[in-house]
Amino acid sequence: MDIRVFQDNKDLDAAAASLIAELVAAKPNAVLGLATGSTPVGIYRSLVDTAARSGISFKSVSTYNLDEYVGLTPDNEQSYAYYMNQHLFSKIDIPLNRTFLPDGMSGDLEAHCAAYDAMLEQAGVDLQLLGLGHNGHIGFNEPDSQLSAGTHVVTLDEATREANARFFSSIDEVPRQAVTMGVGSILKAHRILLVVRGADKADIVKRALTGPVTTDCPASLLQTHARVTVLLDREAASLLATGGNEGCSTFASAM
Ligand code: F6R
């Protein structure tokens, strides 16, 4: 694993955005796996700026999002479809018909999940962006004795609903279910970019990156992937032995 620690969150955002922009510059029809939540907001802002500055076009890029709540329409401000339009798609030149998210409103969620997996399989994700849940979830793959490989419907942990309640007017409005790519689909991406910020995630970062590989911490399965880049702010990295605190330090994980 290539782990980089940043003093400044703007530098972290810029580093993540450059990795994505460099991929798109080198491969104009790149397939991006995208995430939502608070972690990528600054990354998308930086990516929009980078694209405008350097003239990178997303016309031939396609994107597949990790997850979507069940029961929220794309025009609902809390839906991930709305988030993606707001933070990224409306600000770059990507055709909307090249952007895909699971459809939490599908009348046949099981068939929809299978169709989403078939699309992912055919497209082949070049770079998957991930955030990390406090309980070690990636996408909405919550800790469990078994993890699903493919896209599936998941019942959200109460801890996840509580963590995400900040985006809603009350916890009662947070959906109880979501559709998420499975860990198997995530691990099929050619390259993975995991971004984590904040002292409140220091413990789970340590478990995910240096603890045992276990379905109790879904992110620990990233240790089995050959090409993972992890970008952390100092707080999120505070329980790792980083070997350096100035600027951006790069080090190999202790695994
Ligand atoms: C979002 C997603 C989640 C988040 C995770 C961290 O699409 O799949 O796994 O990445 O819950 O969320 P934030 O960034 O809000 O702390």
Side-chain angles (χ1 to χ4, degrees):
M1 271 188 192
D2 170 21
I3 304 177
R4 307 179 199 175
V5 183
F6 293 83
Q7 301 268 353
D8 183 319
N9 260 300
K10 279 219 166 101
D11 293 342
L12 190 164
D13 288 335
S18 319
L19 285 175
I20 300 171
E22 279 161 20
L23 169 65
V24 174
K27 185 177 180 191
N29 64 344
V31 179
L32 303 177
L34 297 178
T36 58
S38 46
T39 306
V41 171
I43 298 172
Y44 293 146
R45 196 180 303 127
S46 182
L47 184 58
V48 168
D49 289 348
T50 307
R53 237 188 5 257
S54 54
I56 292 172
S57 172
F58 286 75
K59 273 196 181 124
S60 305
V61 166
S62 24
T63 66
Y64 291 84
N65 265 79
L66 283 167
D67 40 22
E68 178 61 283
Y69 289 115
V70 169
L72 299 190
T73 53
D75 61 351
N76 184 312
E77 289 184 19
Q78 317 306 339
S79 74
Y80 288 165
Y82 190 96
Y83 169 112
M84 289 308 304
N85 281 323
Q86 181 188 22
H87 292 291
L88 188 64
F89 299 154
S90 64
K91 298 183 173 167
I92 54 175
D93 63 348
I94 193 164
L96 282 184
N97 63 4
R98 301 187 70 86
T99 67
F100 302 93
L101 288 96
D103 177 6
M105 293 300 291
S106 167
D108 185 345
L109 285 169
E110 211 172 301
H112 174 67
C113 291
Y116 201 71
D117 276 337
M119 283 199 301
L120 282 171
E121 189 69 39
Q122 207 194 345
V125 173
D126 291 298
L127 177 79
Q128 176 66 59
L129 176 63
L130 294 176
L132 177 65
H134 291 98
N135 60 2
H137 74 210
I138 47 176
F140 273 137
N141 293 279
E142 305 283 35
D144 208 337
S145 52
Q146 276 190 319
L147 297 176
S148 302
T151 303
H152 60 287
V153 178
V154 66
T155 298
L156 299 175
D157 276 4
E158 271 318 291
T160 298
R161 292 185 65 243
E162 276 162 28
N164 289 3
R166 68 192 192 279
F167 301 114
F168 294 78
S169 30
S170 86
I171 187 157
D172 300 329
E173 285 180 22
V174 184
R176 293 184 184 276
Q177 288 189 310
V179 180
T180 182
M181 269 189 209
V183 175
S185 311
I186 292 171
L187 292 175
K188 276 189 193 159
H190 185 62
R191 183 173 185 186
I192 292 179
L193 176 57
L194 173 70
V195 182
V196 195
R197 314 171 200 269
D200 53 327
K201 293 202 180 154
D203 185 51
I204 196 66
V205 163
K206 185 172 181 203
R207 277 181 62 202
L209 303 187
T210 66
V213 176
T214 162
T215 58
D216 285 338
C217 177
S220 67
L221 274 86
L222 297 175
Q223 294 179 32
T224 66
H225 193 283
R227 226 172 147 217
V228 180
T229 300
V230 186
L231 306 185
L232 304 171
D233 69 4
R234 272 182 72 182
E235 290 74 20
S238 59
L239 297 180
L240 299 176
T242 61
N245 281 328
E246 295 309 312
C248 161
S249 46
T250 306
F251 60 98
S253 96
M255 20 156 323

